[in-house]
Amino acid sequence: MKILPTPVEEFVNRTDRNRSLAFGISGATIAFWSLYRVFWALYVSATFSGIGGWSPVSLVVPIVLWGAIGVVSAVAAFAFLTRYAKQT
């Protein structure tokens, strides 16, 4: 089962092995940072929900934004690190 569209997979396969490692590490770092941001946004929304006049609904946009960034960077990191793991 392929998770990447064909043009993206061709780009990943054309990328140099060492550059794939750099892209993979960068993508994984961004994915972990996004996970951290989503965790703290959820924590803040749960903590501050008891304050009168403040609604945690205002954090929906950042949670969705950082979640999307995290998913895209995790897929990219997986693709490039898989390319790096290949011997050719």
Side-chain angles (χ1 to χ4, degrees):
M1 182 173 135
K2 296 185 177 193
I3 60 171
L4 296 174
T6 304
V8 175
E9 186 176 356
E10 289 174 358
F11 173 75
V12 169
N13 288 335
R14 283 194 316 256
T15 306
D16 181 42
R17 190 167 185 258
N18 290 332
R19 192 169 290 217
S20 293
L21 178 62
F23 288 157
I25 290 172
S26 298
T29 303
I30 293 169
F32 283 124
W33 179 253
S34 299
L35 179 67
Y36 173 79
R37 293 290 302 249
V38 167
F39 170 75
W40 280 107
L42 291 172
Y43 174 75
V44 166
S45 67
T47 304
F48 288 168
S49 65
I51 296 175
W54 192 85
S55 175
V57 176
S58 63
L59 288 174
V60 168
V61 172
I63 291 171
V64 170
L65 175 69
W66 282 106
I69 291 170
V71 168
V72 169
S73 62
V75 169
F78 177 77
F80 281 109
L81 290 176
T82 302
R83 164 67 180 103
Y84 177 76
K86 291 181 182 177
Q87 294 299 324
T88 56

